[in-house]
Amino acid sequence: MKPSKKFDAIKFSSVIRIADTVRELERAGKKIIRLETGEPHVASPNAAIAAAEEALRSEKTHYGHSRGLPELRACVCEHHARVYGVSLDPNKHILITPGGKQALWYALASLVDDGDEILIGQPGWVTYDEIVKLVGGIPIPAPMDPAADFSLKAQPYLNAITSRTRAIVLNTPSNPTGRMISHSELEKLAAVCRERDIMLISDEIYDQIRFTDTPHVSALTYDQKLEHTILINGFSKTYAMTGWRLGYVLADQLFIDTMLKLQQNSITCPTVFAQYGALAALTAGASFVDATVRLYHDNRDFLLAEMSKVAAVRCIEPQGGLYAFIDVSRINPDSVSFAEDFLSQQYVSVVPGSAFGASGEGFIRICLATDKRNITEFVSRLRSYVTSKVASASKMR
Ligand code: PLP
């Protein structure tokens, strides 16, 4: 017997593969500076932990509503009304899911017919291509311009549109580049989606993690009725709740109801006591978000200042999100071999840029949501690695 052919073209997650390798090295006694995974190093908000504990004690341990806890749905809708000025119905326009990743899966599964083309901004999160393939679609790269620091623009998407284009996947702030789309660029994308009947799947999971005055522009701004927009978000990144596995999707009722069929026939409902924790995070977590974003911001500023002193590497300036994307192509244009060598020589784990598509080749991604000492160590080890590579290259000449 063989597994289904559907999986032949599906790749394992390169980030998870690196993280697993690193765990094995750690088990063998190696001390690794871990910068590969996109997860905040801090504990989840106390209010979330207390609320989940209370929920467990008061027997919120049975199946819950398959759309998600009504109070949590209402709270997320109010949040979006307050921040982005949209009016959403908690009984129609939202589904709470076990993580943003699952939300994205539902969204694409609800939309894609075999052979549909889905345009994905590149460099882009590793999971997009694989989910598109799993649901029968064809991922088409829309490469952003490295000379413009991978600024998120509409044109690369517009260039890739064909009669088979079904959706555009936008991620702002971006994983891995940290770039954020502007009002004018998003307006162009929204207009073309309307004209050509294309869905804009907007992954805004990093919307609250920003480092400059540039505002986060939500896709909801240009499509308040959700006619051509599906929005993905969650609690993992903003509230350091990666292990709780909670996210959500906002969409037109027709699509939410389609996704509900998937949810009811797969997981039944998201974990109930965890949702009480998420509700507490959303209602009482503003100061937590301010404090953690300040930490990441400080790491980002330190990194940018230090990287500017290292000849031969260049760090793209992250406007938001959890990552820094660093051009190491002058040291080694093959990012996989760079990452492997850097890990074996300096014991620092990073993600090779090629994992985010061909246009990420020559770059590495590191996570900024870590203890400052790890960023300081990264800088110092990168500096000595670069110095040794430059010295051995000049000896060869
Ligand atoms: N979207 C992006 C761009 C991400 O980077 C991630 C996680 O790394 C997710 C969605 C999903 O996160 P989760 O499933 O933990 O909510």
Side-chain angles (χ1 to χ4, degrees):
M1 287 295 289
K2 282 189 176 165
S4 153
K5 284 196 202 59
K6 281 202 293 289
F7 289 85
D8 288 353
I10 309 300
K11 294 191 216 140
F12 285 102
S13 160
S14 41
V15 179
I16 295 174
R17 199 189 54 184
I18 294 162
D20 286 345
T21 307
V22 171
R23 281 189 194 101
E24 277 157 29
L25 284 170
E26 284 179 330
R27 255 208 312 281
K30 297 276 182 264
K31 173 101 185 67
I32 313 285
I33 305 286
R34 295 196 52 178
L35 300 176
E36 82 285 355
T37 306
E39 96 171 315
H41 63 305
V42 293
S44 306
N46 287 334
I49 294 168
E53 270 175 5
E54 172 55 26
L56 276 170
R57 279 205 198 88
S58 54
E59 261 192 61
K60 302 289 192 316
T61 49
H62 301 280
Y63 291 131
H65 200 296
S66 63
R67 289 179 192 267
L69 205 66
E71 301 91 307
L72 181 58
R73 278 185 273 135
C75 188
V76 172
C77 290
E78 276 158 28
H79 169 81
H80 282 270
R82 202 169 49 249
V83 181
Y84 301 117
V86 283
S87 163
L88 300 167
D89 184 333
N91 296 318
K92 293 182 180 158
H93 299 133
I94 177 168
L95 189 66
I96 307 289
T97 60
K101 208 178 242 187
Q102 193 87 359
L104 192 75
W105 189 302
Y106 290 164
L108 283 160
S110 74
L111 184 70
V112 171
D113 284 313
D114 283 351
D116 282 349
E117 293 179 351
I118 310 298
L119 312 188
I120 297 170
Q122 272 199 1
W125 183 40
V126 294
T127 294
Y128 296 135
D129 279 23
E130 306 316 308
I131 298 184
V132 167
K133 288 187 269 177
L134 272 170
V135 299
I138 304 170
I140 306 286
M144 301 298 140
D145 182 3
D149 281 352
F150 298 115
S151 285
L152 296 180
K153 299 282 185 200
Q155 197 58 48
Y157 289 106
L158 306 193
N159 294 344
I161 290 177
T162 70
S163 57
R164 297 192 343 186
T165 305
R166 184 83 167 122
I168 284 173
V169 177
L170 170 72
N171 174 215
T172 180
S174 153
N175 171 9
T177 65
R179 307 305 291 178
M180 290 166 59
I181 200 160
S182 66
H183 269 288
S184 56
E185 294 299 317
L186 187 52
E187 194 171 10
K188 278 188 224 164
L189 267 188
V192 93
C193 286
R194 238 183 351 260
E195 281 154 24
R196 305 282 300 259
D197 202 21
I198 293 170
M199 188 65 89
L200 180 59
I201 300 181
S202 189
D203 180 345
E204 303 185 12
I205 199 144
Y206 300 104
D207 65 340
Q208 297 196 55
I209 305 172
R210 300 185 303 270
F211 309 127
T212 67
D213 294 335
T214 310
H216 168 72
V217 192
S218 172
L220 298 176
T221 315
Y222 294 101
D223 184 14
Q224 304 243 323
K225 293 203 174 121
L226 293 163
E227 284 168 329
H228 289 93
T229 305
I230 296 181
L231 187 139
I232 310 291
N233 207 326
F235 300 90
S236 289
K237 316 291 177 169
T238 311
Y239 298 105
M241 290 172 69
T242 45
W244 298 60
R245 308 310 303 130
L246 282 176
Y248 56 89
V249 50
L250 307 177
D252 175 72
Q253 183 176 11
L254 189 60
F255 282 93
I256 290 292
D257 287 351
T258 307
M259 295 184 225
L260 185 62
K261 293 180 188 170
L262 277 171
Q263 176 127 303
Q264 288 184 351
N265 290 297
S266 55
I267 60 132
T268 304
C269 66
T271 306
V272 173
F273 58 86
Q275 292 183 76
Y276 282 95
L279 179 61
L282 196 54
T283 40
S287 58
F288 176 91
V289 178
D290 285 350
T292 48
V293 173
R294 260 201 309 280
L295 284 179
Y296 314 151
H297 196 164
D298 185 42
N299 285 349
R300 174 246 193 210
D301 289 352
F302 172 77
L303 181 75
L304 283 175
E306 292 300 314
M307 287 292 98
S308 69
K309 297 180 210 156
V310 185
V313 300
R314 187 175 72 92
C315 185
I316 303 282
E317 204 175 299
Q319 296 169 296
L322 285 188
Y323 313 97
F325 207 47
I326 303 168
D327 183 352
V328 293
S329 58
R330 285 164 67 195
I331 303 301
N332 185 347
D334 179 337
S335 57
V336 170
S337 116
F338 181 101
E340 285 173 359
D341 198 44
F342 194 48
L343 177 62
S344 68
Q345 296 205 12
Q346 298 288 337
Y347 298 116
V348 181
S349 56
V350 302
V351 182
S354 58
F356 306 98
S359 58
E361 184 54 296
F363 284 75
I364 54 168
R365 187 197 79 175
I366 66 163
C367 179
L368 293 168
T370 184
D371 193 291
K372 173 91 169 269
R373 279 171 298 192
N374 289 335
I375 301 289
T376 311
E377 259 317 301
F378 166 75
V379 168
S380 126
R381 294 186 196 192
L382 183 67
R383 198 176 270 134
S384 53
Y385 184 78
V386 168
T387 309
S388 75
K389 292 289 162 193
V390 171
S392 60
S394 61
K395 246 192 236 149
M396 305 246 292
R397 276 201 291 272

Short mmCIF file of all heavy atoms in Angstrom, two decimals, residues 99-101 125 128 171 175 203 205-206 236-237 245 323, ligand 1:
data_model
loop_
_atom_site.label_atom_id
_atom_site.label_comp_id
_atom_site.label_asym_id
_atom_site.label_seq_id
_atom_site.Cartn_x
_atom_site.Cartn_y
_atom_site.Cartn_z
N GLY A 99 -5.98 27.67 15.48
CA GLY A 99 -4.78 28.30 14.91
C GLY A 99 -5.07 29.00 13.60
O GLY A 99 -6.03 28.66 12.87
N GLY A 100 -4.22 29.98 13.29
CA GLY A 100 -4.34 30.71 12.03
C GLY A 100 -4.06 29.79 10.85
O GLY A 100 -4.60 29.97 9.76
N LYS A 101 -3.20 28.81 11.06
CA LYS A 101 -2.84 27.89 9.99
C LYS A 101 -4.09 27.13 9.52
O LYS A 101 -4.34 26.98 8.34
CB LYS A 101 -1.79 26.91 10.51
CG LYS A 101 -0.87 26.36 9.47
CD LYS A 101 0.17 25.44 10.11
CE LYS A 101 1.57 25.97 9.91
NZ LYS A 101 2.62 25.06 10.37
N TRP A 125 5.39 33.16 3.45
CA TRP A 125 5.39 32.12 4.49
C TRP A 125 5.34 30.74 3.85
O TRP A 125 4.57 30.50 2.92
CB TRP A 125 4.18 32.35 5.40
CG TRP A 125 4.08 31.40 6.56
CD1 TRP A 125 5.11 30.95 7.34
CD2 TRP A 125 2.88 30.82 7.07
NE1 TRP A 125 4.61 30.13 8.32
CE2 TRP A 125 3.26 30.02 8.18
CE3 TRP A 125 1.54 30.89 6.72
CZ2 TRP A 125 2.33 29.31 8.91
CZ3 TRP A 125 0.61 30.19 7.45
CH2 TRP A 125 1.01 29.40 8.54
N TYR A 128 1.94 28.60 2.73
CA TYR A 128 0.93 28.97 1.72
C TYR A 128 0.93 28.00 0.53
O TYR A 128 -0.11 27.49 0.13
CB TYR A 128 1.16 30.39 1.20
CG TYR A 128 1.00 31.48 2.23
CD1 TYR A 128 1.93 32.52 2.32
CD2 TYR A 128 -0.08 31.50 3.10
CE1 TYR A 128 1.79 33.53 3.26
CE2 TYR A 128 -0.22 32.51 4.05
CZ TYR A 128 0.72 33.52 4.12
OH TYR A 128 0.58 34.51 5.05
N ASN A 171 0.16 38.97 2.87
CA ASN A 171 0.51 38.85 4.29
C ASN A 171 1.19 40.15 4.71
O ASN A 171 2.31 40.43 4.30
CB ASN A 171 1.43 37.63 4.46
CG ASN A 171 1.99 37.48 5.86
OD1 ASN A 171 3.12 37.04 6.05
ND2 ASN A 171 1.21 37.82 6.87
N ASN A 175 5.68 37.88 6.87
CA ASN A 175 6.64 36.87 7.29
C ASN A 175 7.22 36.32 5.99
O ASN A 175 6.46 35.75 5.20
CB ASN A 175 5.93 35.75 8.05
CG ASN A 175 6.83 34.56 8.34
OD1 ASN A 175 8.02 34.62 8.13
ND2 ASN A 175 6.24 33.47 8.83
N ASP A 203 -3.75 37.71 5.25
CA ASP A 203 -3.25 37.13 6.49
C ASP A 203 -2.64 38.27 7.31
O ASP A 203 -1.57 38.78 6.99
CB ASP A 203 -2.21 36.06 6.13
CG ASP A 203 -1.62 35.37 7.36
OD1 ASP A 203 -1.80 35.89 8.48
OD2 ASP A 203 -0.97 34.33 7.19
N ILE A 205 -1.95 38.25 10.67
CA ILE A 205 -1.66 37.69 11.99
C ILE A 205 -0.66 38.54 12.80
O ILE A 205 -0.61 38.46 14.01
CB ILE A 205 -1.20 36.21 11.85
CG1 ILE A 205 -1.35 35.48 13.18
CG2 ILE A 205 0.21 36.10 11.35
CD1 ILE A 205 -1.76 34.04 13.06
N TYR A 206 0.11 39.38 12.09
CA TYR A 206 1.08 40.25 12.79
C TYR A 206 0.60 41.69 12.87
O TYR A 206 1.40 42.61 13.06
CB TYR A 206 2.45 40.18 12.08
CG TYR A 206 3.03 38.78 12.04
CD1 TYR A 206 3.00 38.02 10.87
CD2 TYR A 206 3.58 38.20 13.18
CE1 TYR A 206 3.51 36.73 10.84
CE2 TYR A 206 4.09 36.91 13.15
CZ TYR A 206 4.05 36.18 11.98
OH TYR A 206 4.55 34.90 11.95
N SER A 236 -1.79 33.50 18.46
CA SER A 236 -0.44 32.96 18.68
C SER A 236 0.62 34.02 18.86
O SER A 236 1.43 33.94 19.79
CB SER A 236 -0.03 32.10 17.48
OG SER A 236 -0.76 30.91 17.43
N LYS A 237 0.64 34.97 17.95
CA LYS A 237 1.77 35.90 17.89
C LYS A 237 1.54 37.10 18.80
O LYS A 237 2.38 37.45 19.61
CB LYS A 237 2.00 36.36 16.44
CG LYS A 237 1.94 35.25 15.41
CD LYS A 237 3.09 34.28 15.49
CE LYS A 237 2.90 33.17 14.45
NZ LYS A 237 4.06 32.33 14.28
N ARG A 245 -3.18 27.13 20.29
CA ARG A 245 -3.77 26.80 18.98
C ARG A 245 -5.14 27.45 18.80
O ARG A 245 -6.16 26.77 18.75
CB ARG A 245 -3.85 25.27 18.76
CG ARG A 245 -2.57 24.50 18.97
CD ARG A 245 -1.36 25.07 18.24
NE ARG A 245 -1.54 25.19 16.80
CZ ARG A 245 -1.29 26.32 16.12
NH1 ARG A 245 -0.84 27.41 16.74
NH2 ARG A 245 -1.47 26.37 14.84
N TYR A 323 10.11 39.16 12.56
CA TYR A 323 11.33 38.64 11.93
C TYR A 323 12.23 39.72 11.36
O TYR A 323 11.77 40.82 11.04
CB TYR A 323 10.96 37.68 10.78
CG TYR A 323 9.92 36.70 11.19
CD1 TYR A 323 8.56 36.92 10.90
CD2 TYR A 323 10.26 35.57 11.92
CE1 TYR A 323 7.60 36.02 11.32
CE2 TYR A 323 9.30 34.68 12.35
CZ TYR A 323 7.96 34.90 12.04
OH TYR A 323 7.00 34.03 12.46
N1 PLP B 1 0.30 33.25 9.12
C1 PLP B 1 1.61 33.52 9.17
C2 PLP B 1 2.18 34.50 8.22
C3 PLP B 1 2.44 32.87 10.09
O1 PLP B 1 3.73 33.17 10.13
C4 PLP B 1 1.87 31.92 10.96
C5 PLP B 1 2.71 31.17 11.91
O2 PLP B 1 3.91 31.15 11.84
C6 PLP B 1 0.48 31.71 10.89
C7 PLP B 1 -0.28 32.38 9.95
C8 PLP B 1 -0.25 30.71 11.75
O3 PLP B 1 -0.03 30.79 13.10
P1 PLP B 1 -0.91 29.91 14.11
O4 PLP B 1 -1.38 28.70 13.39
O5 PLP B 1 0.02 29.61 15.23
O6 PLP B 1 -2.07 30.79 14.51
#
